[in-house]
Structures are given as C-alpha cells and as structure tokens.
C-alpha cells in the first residue's frame, strides 16, 4: 500500500482524472466516453513515440531525431503510395517500420561504434533526416488527393468500437511492456541505465544495448511516420517540426528519469496522455489557445519538481530511530 | 615559495610543447574547415567576395552566436539551456509592451536585458535550488516563457520601434561593420578572457569535469551554475534586443527553433556535451562556419533545409574524425 | 538579362507551386528573364529574411515576395531597395515602407465577403460559424477576416461568428484547432478556413468525425487538393483566385519596375494576358474577384491547379 | 595432489601505456582457497576480469578441468563455471534484490519470457541459505552497504560454478558479516569448489586460505602453501624488499583546543556528536564501516547541513554552509572516495592543486599560471609526488599519488584543521608508511589532524586520542595510552565486556 502511494504513475493518473473532472464540471460533454476515446485516439501517436523515447532515455541516451525520422519515413511511404497506389498498405507499414529502424540504427551505430554522445549524434541526424525529406520530395507536398483511400482510411476503421489507430497504440504498448519487463533485452535497458559499469560485469554489451534502444525508437518513429501522414493526410517537410521535445516532455512528465534507468511503460503512457488531455481540454473549456503553451510548460515544470522530490535520495539513515520512522 | 631543495627532484611544468598542441587542436581543424568553405564559396558564387555580401552574412549568425558564447559555459559545466529561444520571445514581447507605454530606447534595452536575466535566474533557481536536471527544466520553461509571450501578445504584434532602437539591429558602426558584429566580437573577447584567464573560468571547467570533487574542493558549484544561467539569460536578452531591432517588430513566434542551432554551434565548436572541455575560440569559429555554409549555399539558392543536412553532417563528421583517427592509430599500434 | 526572384512563404505549398508556374510562363513570354523561385521551408519571417539577404548579395534586379510577416521583413526589404533592387509584394503583403507595389489577388473586402457568403449560402436558417485561419500574423488572412466581420452584421445577420483560431498553415496545428472548434461549439454549422492548408485539415476532420452534412467546410482552397472533399460532401463550395495568374502578374509588375516604370498612386500597369491593374493610394493593386468552385466545376479546375 | 580445476598459463594483458599482466600463471584446486596477493595495481583485478570474460587476454591460455576455453563474454565465463564477486559493486540500485541476483541468467518460462516468480523464490532460497536476512522482493537501494555486498555474494552463488572468485570481499563488511562470509567459504570448500581470494589483510588470508600466489607489477613472483610460509616472506615477495611498518614517533607538542564540536546532530545520520581537537594532535575516529563517521566529518566540512549543534574554531563559532565556507575558516577534508570526491580527474595536477587557492595565486581574479606552477611544485614535491610533469592528467596517476595530490591541494590553503577520511584505504604497504610519516609531520607543524580509519593498527599507531562511533552515535572518547585493540572493537561493535573477539 505504502509503495503504491509512492508510485509516480498513481499520482499522474490522479492528476489526469482531476483535470478531466474539473473540465467535466463545466462541460459535462467532455467526459462522455466518446470524447475520452477521442482523446485517447488523438494521443495514440504521442504515446507510442514516448515509449520509444523511454527505451532510449533508460539507457542514459536521448533521441532528438525521432520527429525527423517520423517525417522522413512518412514522406517515403506517402511518396510510394502516391506513385504506386497498388502497393498493399500492410506492406507499406512494414516498410515504414523497417525504414524507421534503419534510421534509428544509423544513430545507434554512431553511438555504439564511435562512442559519440547520443545528444550530439541525434542533434546531427535531426537536421539530416529532415533535410532528406526535402531532398527526396523536392520540397513538394504529398496531399490527400494523391494518397490512396486505403492509405488514408486504414487507421480510421474501427474494431470493437475503437479506432484502429488506438489499437496500434495498444498493441505497441503491450509489446513494449512485454519487452521491458519480461525479456533480458528489456531488463538490459534498465541495467545499463542504472549502472553501466556493473552491466558490463553481468555480460551486457552496453554499446549494443544502446544501439538496440535506438533501433526500437527508430522503428516506432517509422510506424508513427505512416500513422501521422495518413492521419493528417499531408506529407511535407515540416511534419512534426519541433515535436522531438514534446516527446521528451511526455516521458519526463511520466516519471522517466533523464539520468537513465528509471521509467515505466505506464508512466510514459500516462505522461503522453496527460499532455493530450491538457491540449484537448483547454480549447474545450474555452481557454484561449494562446494560454495553451504556458499551461503545458507549467505542467512540465510541476511534474519535474514533483518527480525530483521523490527521486531525492533520503540518505543512508544510519540512526536506528530514524530508520524506524522512515 | 620556490624552495624545492628538499627532494631535489624537479617536476617540469609541462612535457609537450604548447605550440605543437595548439597546432593539433580542435580549433585548427575548425580553421581549416572554415578556410575550405570560404574558398569553395568564392569559387561557387561570383557574389560571395564582396564586402557587403560578407557583412550581410554576419547577420545570419551573430544573434545565435552571442547566445552560444554563454551556452558554451553552461555546457562546459555539464548543463544545458534549451529555453534560450523562448527567452528571446518573452524579452522581445516585454520590450514591445514597454514600447506601448512609451518607453524610450535605453529603457527598451534595459527591459530586454532585464527580462532575459530574470528568465535565466528562474531557470538557475529551479536547477540549482531544487537540484533538477537542466535539460528537463529548460524544456519546461521553453514552453512557459514563450507561452507567456503568447498570452501577452495573442495574435497581435508590436511595431513602431524608434529609429534609435532599430540601429541596434540594422546600424553600422563603421563602413560595413555592423553594430551586431561589433557587439559579438566584443562579447567573444570578454567571454574568452573570462573562461580562459580567470578564476571563474577555471572553476567552470572544474565543475564540468567533476562537480562533486569541485564542491569538495571548495568551489561554490551552485552559485556558479546560477550565475551561468543568468548569463545565458542576459545574452538571450541581448539577442532579443538585436533581433527585435533587426525585425523592427515583435511576435511571440520570434526566434523559433534557435535553441538547437545554438547548441549545434557550441558542440561544433568543440565543447564537450558531457562537460569539462571546450574553448571560446572554437565556438566563434563554429559560428563563422555555420554562417559561411548557410550563406554560401544561400547564394546558390539552395534551400535552407538542404544546408541543414550539411550542418548536421558536419557536426557528426567533425566529432567522429578525431575518434576514427584515434581508433585507426590504436589498431596500427 | 533581368533576374527576378519570386520569394514564397514556404516551399512545397501547392498554391505557391502553381504561382511559380505562372511566373515561369510570364518569364518565358517576356523573354530574357532569369526567374529565381525560392523561399524558406518553414514559414517564418527569420528564415525568409535569410533568403532575402542572399538575394541581395546576388544583386538580383527585383524581388517579388509573399511575406510571412508584414513588419519583420520591412527592414531587410528596405535594405534591398537601397541597394537598387525593386521590391514588390504579392499575395501576402508587407507594410508600404518595405515595398514599391503590393499585388492583392483580389480586393480584400471582396474576399472577406466571399468567404462569409460561401458559408451563408448553405445556411439558409443561419447559425454558428467559426474561422480557422493561418498564422496570427498573416497579413492577408487578417485583412480578409476583418472584412468578413465588417460585412456580416448587415448582409448576413443570421450568421454568428463564434471564434477565430489559428492553424499557422501547419496541418497538425490546423487539425487540432479544427477538432477543438468542433468540441467547443456543439452547434457549429460551418468552418471557414481562408487558407489552403487549413481548409484541407478542417475538411478531413469533418470527414473523420462523420459530420458530413452537419458541418460545412468552406474557405479558400486549391481545387486539385480539395476536390475529394467537394466530392464527399464535407464541403459544398470553396473559392480561390487563380494562383497561376497571380505569379504571372507578379513577374510582369516586377519587370515593369526594373524597366523604369514609376510606382505611384493611380499608375496603371499592363500585365500580359491578364490585362492591366491600377495602383490605389497605398500602391496596392487588386486582381479579379475570387472564383467559386463547387460540384459542378471542381473536376475541370482540379486538372489545372 | 589433486589436479587443478582451473589453470591459467602465460596470460598477458596490456592497456594503452600500461602492461597490467605479463606472462602470469595461476592454478586453482578443488576444495581449496588460493590467496592472490599483491600491491595496488599489481594486476589482481585485471586477472579476475580476464577470467570472467570482461577483458580478453592478449596472450595465454585458460583451461577448465584440462579443457582449453575461450571466454569472450561474461556469459561464457558463467557457462564455463566461473563466477566472481568483483571488487567494484556490480549491482543495480533501482532493481529488485532478486533481479540483481539473476540479471543475465534469469529463469525463463516456456515462451522465453523472464519467469519472475521462479526467480524470486530461487533468489530468496539463496539468500536464506546464507542467512542474509534479506527480502528478495525489495528494491536494492533500500539496503545498507554490507547487505548489498551480501547480495553480490548471493549473485555469485546463484550460478552453479566450480570456481568462485572473491576480489576483496571483506572490504565493506563489518566484523560480524565477515565471520559469516568465512562460514560460507568453508561451505564452498566442502562442496569441492575452487576459490580465489583476493585481500590486502594478512590476518584473514592466514585464517582461511590454503595456498597463495603473489603478483608484483603484473608478474607472478611466487606461490606456495600458506601454512609453510611466514607473513614476512610474502610481504617481501610482494614489495620486492622487506618492510617493517613502524608507525612514526610523534614529537609534536600538543597545544590548546583548536576545534570544538558540540552536540552536532542530523535528522537521520547522527546525533549529539561532541569532540574537540587540540593543536598538534591527531584525533582518531574509529568505528565499523558505515558507523557514520564520514557523515559527521562532511557536516563539519559544510557538505551536509546539520539540524543542531555548534562548531567553534579558534574561539570563533562557525557554521559552514558549504565546503567553501569551511575552507575559508581553515578546515579541510581529504575525502574517502578519492576518484569521485578527491581529485578532479580529467584535469592536470597543477590545476587540481591550485583550485582551492586560486584567490591567492591570481591577481584581481585573473589567472597567473607561473604562480600556480610554483605553488603546485612546492607542495607536490614536499609530498614526493611521482609524476612526469605538473601538467600530467591526474587520472593517469596511481591511487597513492592521487591521494598526495589531494593532500597537496589542501596544504596549499594553509589550513588549521585537516580531516583525513580513510587516508590509506586501498593503499599498499609502501605508500601507507609515507602517508603516516606525513601525518606526523603535519602535527609537528602545529596543525590539528582528524583521522577517520577502520583499521585498528592505524588508529592505535597514529592517534593521540580516539573517538569511537557506532550507528550514528558517539560512544566514547579514549586516551590512546595502553589502549587495547579489544576495547575498541568491543565498543565499536557494541559487544558486552568479555565477549570481544
Ligand atoms: N581499463 C583499464 N585501462 C587502463 N589501465 C588499466 C585498466 N584497468 C586496470 N588498469 C591498470 O592495470 C594495472 C593493474 O590494475 P588492477 O586493477 O588489476 O590492480 P589490482 O592488483 O587489482 O589493485 P588493487 O589492489 O588496488 O585492487 C594498474 O596499473 C591499473 O592502472
Ligand atoms: N547504503 C549504502 N549504499 C551505497 N554505499 C554505501 C552505503 N553505505 C555506505 N556506503 C559506502 O560505503 C563506504 C563506507 O561507509 P561510511 O562512509 O558511511 O562509513 P563511515 O562509518 O562513515 O566511515 P568509513 O568511511 O571510515 O567507513 C562509503 O564509501 C559509503 O559511500
Ligand atoms: Mg583490484
Ligand atoms: Mg566513510
């Protein structure tokens, strides 16, 4: 019980419920199941991306190139679809995942083999990937009229009352959860984040593990590239510009420690959902859109301060009576 | 002080020749890169070698470079400030607001710089006071500061700055030498002296190498970090003055995306993102290189986004080269 | 040879690509013109300033710009003029100090009236409508919205404009804003998006949320990009002028200035096949009325632009 | 004689610029404990790492039961039946105890997924078999240092290994836990495992080991049976000369009280600590590891804030809120964790030395390098620092020389009180004597020295008075006259009279 009360995830969930509750007080329509599902659906892409970013952050790295990766893979699949509408969409999705993973692998290789700090590598590929979007497209947009109906409609279909896009998020979250908690590879992400030197002693290849985290983040970015483009039905150079920091913000709000080793799937999902609720609730309750940015900034700061409090080491507690009281 | 007869063993000051290490330094690599780009530009475009062209080029980077000077110090201590562009937006907005109340030019500058320092102090207080990681704090304040600018300005924009104010962003001190360039060079000299020739700079490096040991050695780590965030705020405030004056107007969306360009400049300048090493000369050269690349390709009407591929690749290649070289030497040994 | 730079808000936008096509046409027609089609990839004033800086360095003869910000570009364009470069703005203008001529695609008042009329025509009983604009700083959109609001009380009394939001010509932001509008105003009957990016985003949202028939999306749209939403009923009708003609005219005007013609109130310029325009007292000229597209003609125009 | 389980022959290993091992050999026999002995940097841990697949030897052969094996990864060593308790704690604070034990070889279910339930029960069984009294389900970070070490031991035992390596396993354990470890070693011996035991403490080597192998400068210089070899001979092999470590005589005149600490308290770490130091005196602080001595010293040094108490230095009450304040007042602290807290690795010797004295060597805040070099030279040469130049990076110095840099740094500030926290921890016999000699010199100059140490001979040999601490409380202050080691151990461990070891 005590441990449950201390868990970040619980408090985040409480926070989300509180926001939803407050908004509902003024706008009863807000918490109708339909609207809540819509919010979930709207946040699906951010949730998946946050999971990918979490894997990277766990290993004491950071991936600033996810949004650019998304834009690039999105443009690739959009152009393929425009040029060859006959290519089946599942194949296209598989292609997007592979392309994204390849871009992630490029980051990962530089981190693994050359030992360049991840922030530097991905700062570089952030601009390179986005530049390539321009190069391959010649700057031209791919718009709705050029995309095939299947390409656009796939994620809009529904299954058991939920849009397919939401199902994508649920499946990805499930897979990442299994990976993180039930496989040696997932545990390795945590281990090298908590103590990289010790990880070496347990037979974990630190470089390779980081590489795999980048590949995972890349694969998710690729998948989201397709989902993003088919959702907003436009592929352009500017797709998801600046979104990399939103993804990191979602992780941070979700209690993923930027110092590595700490973070849960539930936390990352809730962090993304929190941003989704805030962004969705504000226009609904008639808050001027100009307030939106300051409010999400404040939310990030509050989350950081609260997480910082709980992360602060409580010392070693040598005194017997202090130990009893703790 | 120099009574060393006790042991008889004399430790030399240093073994390797300082000239030799200067030649093999990061900065000389950057000088080579800059020269190569300069020469390439001169061949690629007939318009490049023209005093006005070169002068115009400096406008592409001076504001960012000004912030990069302070950011270099922050990164050397192992921290980072991603809120700089938002500080510009907020400072610019507040200057606009002051203008609405009839402020004169000196007051405007004071408001811009003052708001910058306040924002930096806010970052610094959260980071050093509550011991929070700077990267997440400044991701938060990045939204907050610009958010406040949006709240104040909404869909409006402020304009009508007096000509004496516009001079900061558009005026020339002498011939083709703009005020922005002079200010930047002046600031670079000051930062160079502070970082490389004062106790303060020495402590900045010590913190970046090992903050715990530095604190155990009597360095006031938190105070120095706080000062550095204020300094970054101040430089952002100055950049806000210049940019606002150059644009002649204020919008909340001003300076979008500057933060990553500034960080790129600093890292390209050879400052270790992990903290502990770097030089002002490197940052100045990196600023120049980025200016040369964007302007040179601009003269060929290559879109900015393609230039960024070049910058990104340059960043990775320049960092990877020494590593590859070391690996190659080790393999041979 | 005369070198004319056509600077757009951002590269890749279909509207501007069409304008560039017209500009090429004009250049070929006049002859001995080198056309430089350029612009930033992100629609920001700072990026556009860098582009203009490099054009100044290249000593082009004229710059024809569709500006991302009416004020921020003034200083750099003034510098261009000091260096002997002729400057006109088109589509989205800059303040008079920064240019010699501004070419409006149409009368602002006329566009304003058109966009609200498009909504009103399909709302005989009246109702709530909302406006989804581009950037909050976009000169042209602001002028049109102002004009629309000005004529509404008199000409369309039963139309109620409930909100104006800004999608920044970014498809994601526009989509989110459109969703927000629909959520916040349950009785919304129409969304007016006087921007080619916003109108597509809004129509897609209406389609996605199965609100076809309940909410009518209208505004300014490029037929080739928007055809499907007329087809599926998300929109009854939209309007636009001819971007090809706009680019075409911009080049003619720029060339005329380079050739020494004076830009002064009342001056008349002839622009090839389009005819001629006359400058008003702010040295602005306006082209023809916007053209309306609906189910009857969208097919035909979507082949052209 | 039985055949060895593990045989190493002709092992060599070099790092850039360092030849850590050169053509060494080693045999480990079933049911026997072999001690590996050598000075700091002799290459002991390096050998352990090559035997566990963390490093790859440049040359040489490893045979397990006569079969040549290659150990490219840590996993392959586990599979070959070799397991180790490493010198560095190989543990993960944020993970659970069970996972710490099984990370890398966790039990899997039939889908190949980690089987948490089995893992938890098996971990608990291992811990219980060691009588560790640890719940396998809690996060590791909730354990104290000694318990953590037991988890490391459990981790080594969770592998069904033929060879168990222990690299300084007792360094962080208290006497009681050390005794339990000995029992465990006996158990392993009975099971026929071969054990390699690395330690700098001769008493325990003589207590539990059967054989020994001595390394010097990366070479194997001798081996034999413990029971046939006197300690002095092993030391001679180790150092290359005979060493009689005699604590220096102290001629310092003890003056009046310089530092007076009264009722110092901290909410969770210590309470009501009072002591005083006089001019020219060495005050020893004794206690078991984890008694809270470092915490008290860091509070006096301004590193940790206190909840109560006063500090009076030279008649003036001071309340240092940061080390900078303490240094200004004249109190300096040589920390226990040299690499993390002591030296700024990545910077040069002279920059390390001048850092706290910058205000003295500079003019108006501007650096004057010549003054810095002069200052650094004065103090490092007094300490006989072995380095190639003052611009050498401290990270390239040996542990003992790094310690000298830290001491030089503080001497340069001309302090009144110098606190040394475990000044000889992990330092070999030769350097130890130098540090002790130096402490005697300091007090002779009228400084006051506080020395925190867990080593009895050092405490008894060096201090004028001894403060004993236990579990964050001050137990006793004793004059060091005819002080019996048993008395100190009894007080430190809280054992009633007559039962002391
Ligand atoms: N990763 C490494 N890189 C470079 N040098 C190393 C590395 N690891 C060990 N060394 C060097 O190899 C030598 C042997 O070190 P090792 O750790 O094996 O000594 P040790 O006998 O275990 O000493 P101690 O008693 O202090 O634990 C030392 O000079 C050390 O500096
Ligand atoms: N729970 C713990 N987790 C991690 N490290 C610990 C823990 N407890 C103690 N240590 C480390 O073990 C070492 C010894 O502990 P500590 O410094 O508290 O002992 P002490 O009584 O203060 O005195 P001494 O330093 O002389 O042993 C230190 O390096 C400390 O950082
Ligand atoms: Mg060792
Ligand atoms: Mg201690």
């Amino acid at each position: 019980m005590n441990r449950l009360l201390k868990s970040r995830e619980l408090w985040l969930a409480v926070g989300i419920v509180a926001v939803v509750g407050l908004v509902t007080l003024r706008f009863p329509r807000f918490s109708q199941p339909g609207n809540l599902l819509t919010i979930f659906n709207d946040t699906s892409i951010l949730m998946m991306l946050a999971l990918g970013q979490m894997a990277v952050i766990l290993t004491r790295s950071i991936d600033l190139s996810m949004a650019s990766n998304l834009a690039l893979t999105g443009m690739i699949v959009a152009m393929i679809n425009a040029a060859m509408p006959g290519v089946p969409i599942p194949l296209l999705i598989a292609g997007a995942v592979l392309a994204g993973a390849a871009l992630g692998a490029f980051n990962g290789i530089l981190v693994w083999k050359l030992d360049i700090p991840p922030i530097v590598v991905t700062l570089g590929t952030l601009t390179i990937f986005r530049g390539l979007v321009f190069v391959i497209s010649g700057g031209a947009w791919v718009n709705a009229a050029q995309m095939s109906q299947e390409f656009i409609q796939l994620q809009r279909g529904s299954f058991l009352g939920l849009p397919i896009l939401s199902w994508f998020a649920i499946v990805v979250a499930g897979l990442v959860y299994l990976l993180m908690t039930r496989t040696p590879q997932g545990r390795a992400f945590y281990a090298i984040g908590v103590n990289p030197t010790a990880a070496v002693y347990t037979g974990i290849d630190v470089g390779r593990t980081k590489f795999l985290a980048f590949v995972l983040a890349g694969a998710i970015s690729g998948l989201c590239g397709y989902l993003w483009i088919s959702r907003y039905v436009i592929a352009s150079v500017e797709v998801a510009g600046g979104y990399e920091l939103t993804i990191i913000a979602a992780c941070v709000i979700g209690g993923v420690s930027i110092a590595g080793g700490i973070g849960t799937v539930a936390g990352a999902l809730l962090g993304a959902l929190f941003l989704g609720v805030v962004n969705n609730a504000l226009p609904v309750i008639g808050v001027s859109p100009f307030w939106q940015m300051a409010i999400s900034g404040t939310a990030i700061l509050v989350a950081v301060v609260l997480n910082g409090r709980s992360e602060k080491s409580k010392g070693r507690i040598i005194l017997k009576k202090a130990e009893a009281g703790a | 002080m120099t009574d060393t007869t006790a042991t008889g063993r004399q430790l030399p000051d240093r073994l390797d020749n300082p000239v030799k290490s200067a030649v093999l330094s990061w900065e000389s690599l950057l000088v080579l890169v800059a020269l190569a780009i300069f020469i390439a530009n001169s061949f690629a475009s007939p318009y490049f070698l023209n005093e006005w062209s070169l002068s115009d080029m400096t406008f592409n980077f001076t504001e960012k470079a000004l912030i990069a000077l302070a950011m270099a110090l922050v990164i050397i201590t192992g921290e980072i400030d991603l809120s700089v562009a938002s500080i510009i937006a907020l400072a610019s907005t507040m200057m606009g607001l002051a203008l609405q109340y009839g402020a004169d030019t000196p007051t405007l500058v004071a408001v811009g710089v003052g708001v910058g320092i306040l924002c930096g102090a806010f970052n610094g207080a959260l980071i050093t006071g509550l011991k929070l990681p700077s990267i997440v704090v400044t991701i938060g304040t990045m939204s907050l500061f610009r958010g406040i600018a949006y709240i104040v300005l909404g869909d409006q924009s402020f304009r009508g700055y007096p000509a004496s104010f516009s001079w900061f962003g558009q005026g020339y001190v002498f011939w083709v030498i703009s005020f922005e360039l002079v200010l930047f060079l002046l600031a670079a000299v000051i930062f160079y002296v502070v970082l490389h020739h004062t106790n303060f700079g020495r402590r900045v490096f010590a913190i970046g190498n090992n903050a715990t040991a530095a604190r155990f050695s009597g360095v006031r780590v938190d105070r120095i970090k706080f000062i550095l965030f204020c300094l970054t705020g101040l430089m952002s405030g100055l950049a806000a003055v210049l940019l606002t004056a150059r644009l002649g107007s204020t919008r909340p969306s001003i300076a979008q995306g500057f933060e990553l360009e500034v960080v790129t400049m600093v890292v390209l300048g050879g400052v270790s993102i992990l903290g502990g090493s770097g030089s002002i000369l490197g940052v100045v050269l990196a600023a120049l290189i980025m200016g040369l690349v964007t302007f040179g390709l601009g003269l060929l009407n290559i879109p900015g986004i393609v230039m960024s591929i070049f910058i990104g690749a340059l960043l990775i290649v320049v960092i990877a080269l020494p590593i590859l070289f070391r690996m190659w030497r080790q393999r041979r040994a | 040879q005369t070198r004319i730079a056509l600077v757009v808000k951002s590269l890749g936008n279909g509207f501007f690509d069409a304008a560039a096509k017209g500009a090429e046409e004009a250049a070929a027609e006049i002859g001995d013109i080198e056309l430089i089609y350029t612009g930033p990839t992100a629609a920001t004033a700072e990026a556009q300033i860098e582009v203009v800086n490099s054009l100044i360095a290249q000593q082009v003869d004229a710059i024809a710009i569709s500006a991302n910000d009416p004020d921020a570009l003034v200083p750099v364009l003034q510098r261009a003029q000091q260096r002997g470069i002729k400057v006109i703005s088109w589509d989205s203008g800059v303040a008079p100090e920064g240019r010699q001529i501004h070419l409006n695609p149409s009368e602002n008042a006329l566009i304003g009236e058109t966009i609200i009329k498009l909504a009103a025509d399909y709302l005989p009983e009246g109702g709530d409508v909302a406006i989804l604009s581009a950037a909050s700083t976009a000169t042209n959109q602001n002028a049109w919205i102002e004009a629309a609001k000005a004529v509404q009380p008199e000409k369309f009394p039963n139309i109620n404009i409930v909100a104006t939001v800004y999608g920044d010509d970014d498809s994601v932001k526009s989509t989110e804003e459109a969703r927000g509008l629909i959520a916040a105003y349950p009785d919304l009957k129409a969304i007016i998006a006087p921007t080619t990016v916003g109108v597509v985003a809004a129509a897609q949202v209406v389609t996605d949320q199965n609100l076809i028939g309940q909410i009518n999306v209208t505004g300014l749209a490029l037929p080739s990009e928007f055809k499907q939403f007329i087809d599926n009923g998300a929109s009854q009708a939209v309007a636009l002028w001819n971007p090809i003609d706009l680019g075409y005219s911009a080049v003619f005007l720029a060339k005329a200035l380079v050739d020494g013609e004076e830009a002064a109130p009342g001056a008349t310029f002839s622009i090839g096949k389009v005819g001629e325009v006359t400058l008003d007292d702010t040295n602005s000229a306006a082209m023809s009325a916007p053209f309306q597209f609906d189910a009857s003609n969208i097919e035909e125009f979507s082949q052209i632009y | 004689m039985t055949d060895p389980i593990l045989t190493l022959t002709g092992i060599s290993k070099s790092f850039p610029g360092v030849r850590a091992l050169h053509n060494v050999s080693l045999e480990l026999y079933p049911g026997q404990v072999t001690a590996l002995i050598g000075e700091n940097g002799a290459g002991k841990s390096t050998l352990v790492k090559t035997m566990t697949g963390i490093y790859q030897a440049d040359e040489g052969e490893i045979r397990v039961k006569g079969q040549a094996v290659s150990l490219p990864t840590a996993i392959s060593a586990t599979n070959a039946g070799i397991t180790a308790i490493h010198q560095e704690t190989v543990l993960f604070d944020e993970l659970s105890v069970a996972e710490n034990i099984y990370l890398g070889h966790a039990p899997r279910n039939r889908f190949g997924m980690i089987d948490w339930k089995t893992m938890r029960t098996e971990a608990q069984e291992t811990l219980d078999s060691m009588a560790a009294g640890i719940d396998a389900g809690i996060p590791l970070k909730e354990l104290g240092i000694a318990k953590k070490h037991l988890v490391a031991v459990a981790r080594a035992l969770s592998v069904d290994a033929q060879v168990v390596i222990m690299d300084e396993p007792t360094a962080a354990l208290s006497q009681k836990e050390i005794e339990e470890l000995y029992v465990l070693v006996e158990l392993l011996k009975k099971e026929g495992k071969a054990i390699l035991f690395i330690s700098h403490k001769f008493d325990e080597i003589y207590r539990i080991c059967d054989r020994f192998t001595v390394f010097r400068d990366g070479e194997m210089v001798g081996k034999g049976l413990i029971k046939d070899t006197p300690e002095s001979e092993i030391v001679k092999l180790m150092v290359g000369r005979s060493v009689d470590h005699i604590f220096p005589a102290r001629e310092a005149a003890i003056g009046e009280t310089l530092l007076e600490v009264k009722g110092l308290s901290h909410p969770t770490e210590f309470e009501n600590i009072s002591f005083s130091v006089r001019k020219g005196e060495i005050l020893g602080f004794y206690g078991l590891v984890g008694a809270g001595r470092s915490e008290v010293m860091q509070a006096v040094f301004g590193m940790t804030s206190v909840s109560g108490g006063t500090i009076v230095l030279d008649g003036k009450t001071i309340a240092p809120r940061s080390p900078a304040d303490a240094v200004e007042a004249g109190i300096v602290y040589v920390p226990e964790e040299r690499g993390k807290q002591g030296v700024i690795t990545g910077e040069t010797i002279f920059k390390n030395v001048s850092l706290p004295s910058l205000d003295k060597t500079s003019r108006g805040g501007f650096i004057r390098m010549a003054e810095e070099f002069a200052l650094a030279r004065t103090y490092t040469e007094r300490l006989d620092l072995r380095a190639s130049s003052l611009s050498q990076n401290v990270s390239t110095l040996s542990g003992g020389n790094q310690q000298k840099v830290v001491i030089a740094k503080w001497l340069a500030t001309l302090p009144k009180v110098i606190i040394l926290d475990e000044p000889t921890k992990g330092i070999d016999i030769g350097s130890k004597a130098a540090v002790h000699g130096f402490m005697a010199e300091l007090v002779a100059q009228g400084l006051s020295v506080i020395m925190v140490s867990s080593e009895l001979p050092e405490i008894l040999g060096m201090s004028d008075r001894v403060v004993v601490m236990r579990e964050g409380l001050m137990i006793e202050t004793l004059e060091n006259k005819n002080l019996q080691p048993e008395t100190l151990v009894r007080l430190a461990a809280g054992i009633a009279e007559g039962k002391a070891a």
Side-chain angles (χ1 to χ4, degrees), chain D residues 17-59:
Chain D
V18 186
R19 197 182 65 177
L21 292 174
H22 181 63
N23 194 22
V24 300
S25 56
L26 178 74
E27 291 103 40
L28 299 180
Y29 297 88
Q32 295 192 19
V33 183
T34 306
L36 183 57
I37 302 167
E39 289 182 291
N40 299 121
K44 303 180 297 292
S45 299
T46 306
L47 186 75
V48 172
K49 289 176 196 168
T50 52
M51 288 160 73
T52 48
I54 292 152
Y55 292 162
Q56 269 59 57
D58 302 334
E59 279 169 40

Side-chain angles (χ1 to χ4, degrees), chain A residues 182 187 316-317 320-321, chain D residues 99 114 269 271 471:
Chain A
R182 304 301 292 271
R187 300 317 291 169
R316 309 218 336 261
I317 314 186
K320 274 266 147 41
K321 67 170 188 247
Chain D
E99 190 170 14
I114 293 175
E269 309 300 309
E271 200 170 70
E471 289 172 347

Side-chain angles (χ1 to χ4, degrees), chain B residues 45 47 50 52-53 56 59-60 64 150 154-159 170 172 243 245-249 251 253-256 258 294-295 298-301 303-305, chain C residues 3 11 34 36-41 44-46 49-50 53-59 68-76 78-79 83 136-137 142 164 166 168:
Chain B
S45 170
Y47 306 107
N50 167 301
W52 283 104
S53 292
D56 286 354
F59 285 104
N60 283 4
K64 292 168 207 161
Y150 270 106
D155 52 2
Q156 302 302 303
S157 69
F158 290 130
R159 56 180 158 261
Q170 300 168 31
Y172 293 87
L243 188 61
R246 186 156 69 91
L247 300 180
S249 65
R251 292 160 301 121
S253 60
I254 195 171
Q256 201 97 52
F258 269 27
T294 50
F295 195 73
L299 285 181
L300 306 175
N301 294 309
I305 187 92
Chain C
R3 292 157 70 234
L11 293 173
E34 184 193 339
I36 301 169
Y37 171 49
T38 180
T41 22
T44 69
E46 285 97 331
I49 289 173
E50 287 192 10
N53 259 337
S54 77
L55 291 172
I56 295 174
Q58 292 174 59
Q59 298 157 17
N68 281 319
D69 187 305
D71 307 306
L73 279 143
V74 169
V76 74
Q78 278 178 333
R79 185 159 54 188
R83 307 254 174 98
S136 56
T137 48
N142 285 346
T164 304
Y166 301 92
D168 291 350

Side-chain angles (χ1 to χ4, degrees), chain D residues 271-424:
Chain D
E271 200 170 70
N272 199 18
I273 307 286
S274 307
F275 61 90
S276 64
V277 201
R278 290 168 291 178
K279 274 205 172 105
E281 183 185 41
I282 299 182
L283 179 68
F285 260 75
Y286 183 68
L288 301 179
V289 172
R293 295 161 297 169
S294 300
E295 271 71 17
V296 171
M297 294 309 147
Q298 289 178 13
V300 173
F301 187 54
M303 205 53 207
T304 7
S305 46
V306 293
S307 58
T310 55
I311 303 172
V312 179
L313 180 71
D314 233 357
K316 275 197 300 272
T317 304
I318 57 167
R321 304 168 126 264
S322 72
D325 293 342
V327 174
E328 251 163 51
I331 302 177
V332 300
Y333 174 71
V334 178
E336 177 178 5
E337 296 189 47
R338 213 171 296 127
K340 261 195 231 154
Q341 306 169 338
V343 287
I344 298 178
T345 46
E347 290 210 338
T348 58
I349 293 172
F350 84 90
K351 285 185 184 171
N352 264 282
V353 174
S354 65
L355 186 59
S357 313
L358 279 178
D359 290 332
K360 270 186 267 171
T361 57
S362 63
R363 183 184 287 144
F366 290 93
I367 286 196
R368 290 187 300 174
M369 296 265 263
E371 300 288 322
E372 278 185 66
F373 278 120
L375 180 92
R377 178 168 300 110
T378 310
Y379 287 95
T380 51
E381 285 184 356
R382 264 177 64 189
L383 292 165
D384 196 21
L385 179 80
R386 301 298 165 93
S388 55
S389 83
L390 289 175
S391 302
Q392 190 178 344
N393 201 310
V394 288
S395 57
T396 61
L397 295 178
S398 73
N401 280 310
Q402 289 186 356
Q403 188 77 316
K404 287 178 190 170
V405 172
V406 180
I407 296 176
K409 161 177 91 180
W410 288 132
L411 292 183
T413 66
L414 307 175
K416 295 175 184 153
V417 179
I418 181 162
I419 305 172
L420 299 153
D421 196 348
E422 305 280 8
T424 60

